[in-house]
Amino acid sequence: SDVGPQRERVVTEEEWLQKWETGNIRFHKEQGHPLFQKHLDVLLNGRSGLRIFFPLCGKAVEMKWLADMGHNVVGVEVSEQALKEFFSEHSLPYCEEPVPEISGGKMFQSTSGNISLYCCSIYDLSSSIVGKFDGVWDRGALVAVNPRDRQRYASLMINLMEKNSSYLLVTVSYDPNKHKGPPFYVPESEVKSLFG
Ligand code: SAH
């Protein structure tokens, strides 16, 4: 498949912040993503008290759902506005603290302690800062990463995974000549070569 037209496209962090400021966030699903419910059992596999990672989390409501089910949720997002909206829209009290390992990085944590959202770039994270995860919900994340950064993103994600973890990935299929993205078109063959 021809992904040529999108290969050089770059969306800057500034542009993402601006989308949040202007409310240009049609990617946000107030009712959650239908595929989350459908495949949740694959993610959890009957296990409880998991650590679940939400890369490029926005204010995804699935974070609240998993926390309510007793799991520990960690997310990362460049927009502080998105994270504050997440807590306020769910009426969750939280506290804010600096992340010493990351210059300018902050962590917003629910007072209950089971939702920790890092405000920084995903590329600032490592397993020494956030630990490893039993599950990943990747919706609007791999497909939002700039095409040139995909390899780096995938290597980091693999590094953040425990041995027996599950990774749910949502991609979108369309003709990349007709839309510049994001979401970018990531063909199945590329998913395979990125994640093995
Ligand atoms: N996964 C969420 C949001 C998808 S949109 C959902 O399903 O609703 C992609 C999000 O990634 C945006 O909120 C954007 O601000 C954030 N983002 C973009 N680049 C990032 C980066 N390098 N590190 C962390 N977050 C990033």
Side-chain angles (χ1 to χ4, degrees):
S1 49
D2 179 20
V3 293
Q6 294 186 340
R7 205 161 282 287
E8 312 294 323
R9 170 130 163 87
V10 173
V11 179
T12 64
E13 280 184 23
E14 265 318 310
E15 290 175 84
W16 281 109
L17 297 184
Q18 208 158 22
K19 285 179 198 284
W20 280 99
E21 277 161 31
T22 57
N24 182 15
I25 52 160
R26 274 170 305 165
F27 53 79
H28 176 66
K29 293 210 175 301
E30 255 169 62
Q31 308 299 324
H33 197 285
L35 290 171
F36 180 84
Q37 305 278 13
K38 188 163 177 214
H39 299 286
L40 182 59
D41 54 331
V42 176
L43 186 64
L44 303 180
N45 196 18
R47 304 169 295 173
S48 53
L50 300 184
R51 298 193 77 228
I52 311 279
F53 186 50
F54 280 67
L56 284 68
C57 62
K59 53 175 181 177
V61 298
E62 293 89 346
M63 298 194 285
K64 172 72 164 54
W65 297 351
L66 283 170
D68 287 345
M69 295 168 68
H71 302 288
N72 287 293
V73 170
V74 175
V76 60
E77 166 59 52
V78 286
S79 167
E80 181 168 333
Q81 180 185 339
L83 300 182
K84 288 184 166 165
E85 286 180 12
F86 172 79
F87 287 111
S88 72
E89 286 171 15
H90 296 284
S91 308
L92 287 169
Y94 65 93
C95 55
E96 177 182 333
E97 51 187 74
V99 182
E101 298 94 332
I102 303 170
S103 135
K106 291 181 193 171
M107 198 257 276
F108 296 83
Q109 187 170 58
S110 61
T111 307
S112 52
N114 54 356
I115 305 178
S116 305
L117 306 182
Y118 288 79
C119 187
C120 61
S121 169
I122 182 145
Y123 306 112
D124 294 329
L125 292 185
S126 63
S127 57
S128 63
I129 302 173
V130 289
K132 295 199 183 230
F133 297 95
D134 307 301
V136 176
W137 171 244
D138 182 326
R139 182 267 166 177
L142 174 66
V143 298
V145 158
N146 289 320
R148 63 173 190 192
D149 297 324
R150 262 177 216 156
Q151 183 65 62
R152 183 180 180 198
Y153 172 84
S155 306
L156 171 62
M157 296 306 293
I158 290 167
N159 216 264
L160 293 180
M161 292 172 76
E162 288 283 9
K163 253 200 170 61
N164 287 310
S165 56
S166 329
Y167 193 116
L168 289 186
L169 171 67
V170 182
T171 60
V172 284
S173 187
Y174 66 90
D175 179 351
N177 292 293
K178 295 192 173 149
H179 178 62
K180 63 184 162 90
F184 297 110
Y185 170 54
V186 186
E188 184 78 18
S189 57
E190 191 168 346
V191 172
K192 290 219 166 88
S193 66
L194 286 169
F195 292 96

